[in-house]
Amino acid sequence: MASFGEEIPDQFTNITESLSTHITLTHDVSTFLAERAALEREYAAKLSALTKKVKEKREKRCMECVVGPEPAKVYSVDVGQRSTLQRYLAKAITMTESVSTDHINLANGLEQLSNEVDTGAKKGEEMRKKHNAFYQKLIADREKTYSERAKAKSKYDETCHELESMRAKLEKGDSDRAKKAVQAAEEEMWNAKNIYLVSIAASNRAQSRFFTEDLPRVQDDLQSLLTLTDHNLRSHIQRTTSHAAQHAERLAQKNREVEADAQSVNTSTDQDVFSEFNKRRFDMPKDFTFEPCQGFFDTEEMSTGSTSAHTFLQNMLLRKQKQLSESIPIIESKAKEIQGLTKLRDAYLSQKGLGDPAEVTDNLLESIRSAIVLEVSASLLDAEIQAISASIGSDHLNSARPHLFESKAFTIPATCQFCDGKIFGLNRQGCVCRSCSYTCHQKCEPKVPATCRAAPANGAASSAATASAASMLSRTASVRTATSASSGGGAGGSSSTRPASGIPASSSSRSIESQQQSSARASAPPARRTLPPMSGSAAPSGATPRPSAAASAAATAPRVKALYAYDATASNELSMADGQVLTLVEADEDGSGWITVRDPTSGRQGLVPESYTMRMLSGGGGGGGGEDEDEDDEDDEDDADSDDDDDDSSGSGTKRVKALYAYTATAPDELSLAEGEMIMLTSTGFDVGNGWCQGVNTQGNKGVFPANYVERL
């Protein structure tokens, strides 16, 4: 089956208008069934007029349904006959014209079908409107990227003119102050230029991605929705004829012929006709290029000659890499969610009565829209990382010790350790490193060298994280490709094979791996999977750590104690009881006042207010919470810690879980599960983390397995 994203690029408006026409036709069919039910009660007197009316409506909309409102080729009646759906609908209406008598049971059945068709049409129209709004959002996001490039160009021009002005002043009077001013203006110009070049790379990536990935995928999703609409219309017409065959014996033969002819409807064939009549020439827009300031000689290379410019780019690169590494697990999780919803939708389409495919499709499209937003962001980050790395390289990141800055409002005068200027203002006018207490202006923060004396070297940890991000990108690409292929086909159609990953595996994986490949091979240990795989799927190579490492990480994880009870008010929050001991997953690094914790009993994790908790001391002593605590508090923490350990050791041996699904181990430290098998939890249990659990089966084999494959007893 032809893919709209490949065959007819940049035709979103045409496709959505055609889909709207299909949905309107579905509403017309719903009206037809309702009116026909009324006519059945009045017998054949009005039935002929009604079928004539719906026939005219079908003929009126036949062209738009078959080839769209503005086809690229000349339309004729013969082209309309090529549509299997239109032929089938025409035959159903023609059969109805021959009906002259019927009784109330048939009328009741038709009324029920009318309500279902109307409900399905409304759901389809709602999904279409959501996707149209998302299409407009994609355009707005792309234009926003273009706007940022224009702003960066304007800033760059401004700094160039400012530099020229400073140089003119220097020529009039050669003084140290004028020289320093010129030097500062040059640095500002270099930074503005670098930002401009980065924004060009992002704009080019946004443009390329929009026309080669996002827009084709959105069009394929509309094609999937079009498939669902046609499938539902065909299904309800088929049920209409089935009711007629059961309640009118004289019309049984005619109705059975129409019912059997429903199998001749092939949405793939109909969509091939639509693609054939809507093919138009399409040329990709040219990439953006660097435009030097008018009257100012400059090149497109980034300015890295000065230490200040190099530091500025290095800090930007570190921030972009961190943002990208944080987004990759979310994208991978979203891709698995889309894959599961796609399988569920296909199951609902193939097995009638199993569930509502429209509802699942709505959830699927919502997940796809969310995934696209995440992947666009990751793609832009990757483009920026490549642009900066190509200029300054990435070997220097091994020795980088980045500061962990957070905004802070100073109640007493403070001095910026970078520019020696005074920090003043009303609210969060400065930054302080959480590790070494380095203080600077917010405007100076991007220029501060990554030489935090209290932070460890970036080295192997950064390399391992980068390599892990590249691996996840590659796996996400394969999952999204399979999902896109299934979404493009739908019921009764073949699969599309266009890649749908948010970041192309061929480019993103290489760009990330090449940054720190040597150190990653030398020191990066294999990492535990973030989420357990789908049932029956193969585990990624090198994705399983040693059980001892996982258990050790869980045992040494910091813990907090609830000072007050808290009831969650959102899906990403976690309720806790007064005095409950929880595992700290993520501290409050952004100053929001919230921390992420995990309940070691249920394995659930979420956000809780930091002020509602107290940091507990580790077994070796030392390490308080974010707030100052007196000695009595520390004693209470030790007692709570000890009590919690006692509870774990005494109760963990009697906890059992039951396997909901079969699971085959893919690594030596994993444990295979049989559906319905009873597993005894170890002392670690659900504290392994990252969606895994540890237990022992009836044969005495010990290992880890996906936590969502079992239920507590």
Side-chain angles (χ1 to χ4, degrees):
M1 185 193 72
S3 168
F4 286 176
E6 294 179 344
E7 297 294 330
I8 49 176
D10 199 17
Q11 292 290 313
F12 180 90
T13 302
N14 202 12
I15 297 173
T16 188
E17 288 180 357
S18 176
L19 174 59
S20 178
T21 305
H22 278 249
I23 295 175
T24 303
L25 178 62
T26 305
H27 280 291
D28 294 337
V29 173
S30 174
T31 304
F32 159 69
L33 294 176
E35 293 179 3
R36 179 186 167 185
L39 288 177
E40 290 294 339
R41 293 185 176 88
E42 299 176 8
Y43 296 97
K46 298 181 179 179
L47 182 58
S48 179
L50 177 62
T51 52
K52 181 180 179 180
K53 177 181 177 181
V54 75
K55 181 178 180 181
E56 292 175 352
K57 289 184 176 181
R58 186 202 67 81
E59 292 175 350
K60 178 180 178 181
R61 295 183 170 85
C62 182
M63 185 191 80
E64 294 185 3
C65 287
V66 176
V67 298
E70 297 180 0
K73 297 171 61 177
V74 179
Y75 174 82
S76 63
V77 178
D78 294 337
V79 175
Q81 294 299 319
R82 292 173 60 184
S83 171
T84 58
L85 177 64
Q86 294 297 326
R87 291 201 303 267
Y88 173 68
L89 184 57
K91 185 173 182 178
I93 296 174
T94 301
M95 180 277 301
T96 307
E97 290 177 337
S98 65
V99 176
S100 59
T101 59
D102 206 353
H103 52 77
I104 193 64
N105 291 334
L106 179 58
N108 293 336
L110 292 176
E111 288 179 348
Q112 180 180 357
L113 283 173
S114 175
N115 293 334
E116 294 178 4
V117 172
D118 186 66
T119 301
K122 290 179 180 178
K123 289 183 178 180
E125 178 64 16
E126 182 180 355
M127 288 186 284
R128 185 190 72 85
K129 289 181 178 179
K130 288 181 180 179
H131 223 55
N132 284 355
F134 181 71
Y135 169 73
Q136 297 300 327
K137 182 181 182 300
L138 285 178
I139 294 179
D141 292 344
R142 184 195 63 182
E143 294 301 323
K144 181 180 178 181
T145 304
Y146 291 175
S147 176
E148 292 176 354
R149 181 197 63 82
K151 291 179 180 178
K153 176 62 170 65
S154 176
K155 179 63 176 178
Y156 166 66
D157 292 344
E158 180 182 343
T159 55
C160 289
H161 293 309
E162 181 67 17
L163 177 57
E164 287 300 317
S165 176
M166 292 296 181
R167 287 175 175 173
K169 292 180 180 180
L170 180 60
E171 291 176 356
K172 294 180 180 180
D174 187 4
S175 64
D176 292 340
R177 182 176 181 181
K179 289 180 180 180
K180 291 181 180 179
V182 170
Q183 182 179 2
E186 286 179 344
E187 292 179 354
E188 289 297 326
M189 183 272 293
W190 290 333
N191 293 338
K193 174 188 173 181
N194 292 337
I195 293 175
Y196 177 36
L197 290 173
V198 171
S199 66
I200 289 176
S203 297
N204 288 335
R205 175 61 64 85
Q207 175 178 269
S208 174
R209 177 185 173 83
F210 179 82
F211 287 104
T212 61
E213 295 184 35
D214 298 338
L215 183 57
R217 287 173 62 188
V218 171
Q219 291 186 182
D220 286 348
D221 294 335
L222 279 183
Q223 181 181 6
S224 176
L225 188 55
L226 183 62
T227 300
L228 174 64
T229 302
D230 291 347
H231 175 273
N232 288 341
L233 181 59
R234 182 199 70 179
S235 176
H236 286 99
I237 294 175
Q238 183 178 2
R239 291 175 60 190
T240 300
T241 58
S242 178
H243 276 298
Q246 295 174 3
H247 291 88
E249 196 59 37
R250 289 185 305 167
L251 304 176
Q253 185 61 34
K254 294 181 180 180
N255 282 292
R256 290 191 182 110
E257 289 178 359
V258 178
E259 179 185 7
D261 198 46
Q263 303 301 325
S264 66
V265 176
N266 190 323
T267 56
S268 298
T269 301
D270 295 349
Q271 292 170 6
D272 288 341
V273 174
F274 185 90
S275 297
E276 176 186 345
F277 278 77
N278 285 276
K279 289 183 178 180
R280 292 178 173 85
R281 177 180 176 85
F282 173 76
D283 296 323
M284 273 290 297
K286 295 181 179 179
D287 287 347
F288 293 102
T289 58
F290 173 72
E291 299 177 10
C293 177
Q294 186 175 3
F296 188 84
F297 177 77
D298 205 347
T299 63
E300 63 180 5
E301 288 77 16
M302 290 190 183
S303 300
T304 59
S306 68
T307 303
S308 175
H310 191 279
T311 299
F312 183 86
L313 288 175
Q314 182 187 38
N315 290 339
M316 182 182 294
L317 178 60
L318 290 171
R319 287 196 301 270
K320 301 299 181 183
Q321 286 180 334
K322 180 181 179 182
Q323 295 172 9
L324 179 60
S325 63
E326 291 173 350
S327 64
I328 293 303
I330 303 176
I331 295 174
E332 184 183 42
S333 175
K334 185 64 66 174
K336 292 181 179 180
E337 177 184 336
I338 293 173
Q339 185 183 36
L341 289 173
T342 302
K343 292 181 179 179
L344 183 61
R345 180 205 59 188
D346 294 342
Y348 283 3
L349 288 174
S350 60
Q351 302 182 32
K352 298 178 181 178
L354 186 63
D356 184 6
E359 181 179 355
V360 177
T361 301
D362 189 13
N363 295 333
L364 173 60
L365 294 180
E366 181 64 32
S367 297
I368 291 176
R369 289 190 287 266
S370 300
I372 290 177
V373 172
L374 293 171
E375 291 167 4
V376 167
S377 176
S379 180
L380 297 181
L381 288 172
D382 183 62
E384 294 172 339
I385 291 173
Q386 290 186 41
I388 299 174
S389 298
S391 177
I392 66 173
S394 58
D395 294 339
H396 55 85
L397 297 181
N398 293 339
S399 59
R401 298 174 180 269
H403 292 273
L404 298 177
F405 284 114
E406 61 181 0
S407 299
K408 182 177 180 180
F410 294 92
T411 57
I412 59 176
T415 301
C416 175
Q417 296 178 239
F418 180 78
C419 68
D420 293 332
K422 294 298 182 181
I423 303 177
F424 57 90
L426 297 177
N427 184 30
R428 295 182 180 272
Q429 70 277 26
C431 298
V432 176
C433 176
R434 292 196 300 269
S435 301
C436 67
S437 300
Y438 187 97
T439 305
C440 66
H441 290 103
Q442 287 186 341
K443 65 179 181 179
C444 295
E445 183 266 330
K447 308 174 187 178
V448 175
T451 56
C452 179
R453 62 178 182 272
N458 212 31
S462 176
S463 303
T466 305
S468 177
S471 176
M472 285 188 287
L473 272 173
S474 179
R475 294 200 300 272
T476 303
S478 62
V479 173
R480 299 288 295 133
T481 300
T483 302
S484 176
S486 177
S487 299
S494 62
S495 297
S496 167
T497 58
R498 180 182 58 78
S501 172
I503 303 176
S506 60
S507 63
S508 299
S509 298
R510 288 197 302 268
S511 66
I512 294 177
E513 289 174 349
S514 63
Q515 294 175 13
Q516 298 175 338
Q517 186 175 8
S518 59
S519 59
R521 286 196 301 264
S523 58
R528 168 69 64 190
R529 289 181 291 268
T530 301
L531 292 175
M534 299 287 292
S535 178
S537 64
S541 176
T544 307
R546 302 179 183 274
S548 58
S552 176
T556 59
R559 294 188 295 176
V560 296
K561 179 180 180 181
L563 299 176
Y564 315 100
Y566 177 72
D567 294 328
T569 59
S571 58
N572 62 340
E573 296 180 5
L574 181 68
S575 297
M576 61 182 181
D578 185 9
Q580 184 177 2
V581 178
L582 305 167
T583 301
L584 179 62
V585 176
E586 182 177 354
D588 179 22
E589 297 182 355
D590 56 2
S592 63
W594 294 80
I595 58 175
T596 304
V597 299
R598 181 174 64 251
D599 186 349
T601 303
S602 63
R604 297 181 59 231
Q605 72 177 41
L607 296 172
V608 298
E610 183 181 26
S611 59
Y612 279 48
T613 63
M614 176 178 64
R615 186 78 171 266
M616 299 182 64
L617 295 175
S618 61
E627 303 294 338
D628 293 334
E629 302 168 0
D630 54 24
E631 296 180 357
D632 294 338
D633 292 340
E634 295 179 357
D635 294 339
D636 293 341
E637 289 178 9
D638 292 336
D639 295 340
D641 197 356
S642 176
D643 293 342
D644 185 74
D645 292 341
D646 293 342
D647 293 342
D648 290 345
S649 62
S650 62
S652 60
T654 60
K655 295 179 181 178
R656 296 189 303 165
V657 293
K658 179 180 179 182
L660 298 175
Y661 316 101
Y663 175 71
T664 302
T666 59
D669 67 331
E670 295 183 2
L671 183 67
S672 298
L673 303 177
E675 185 175 352
E677 182 181 6
M678 299 297 180
I679 303 296
M680 190 75 68
L681 294 180
T682 65
S683 59
T684 302
F686 286 93
D687 285 338
V688 173
N690 293 334
W692 292 82
C693 185
Q694 187 181 67
V696 181
N697 61 15
T698 54
Q699 287 77 33
N701 298 324
K702 179 181 178 182
V704 296
F705 46 86
N708 59 355
Y709 276 48
V710 299
E711 66 175 352
R712 294 177 180 273
L713 298 179

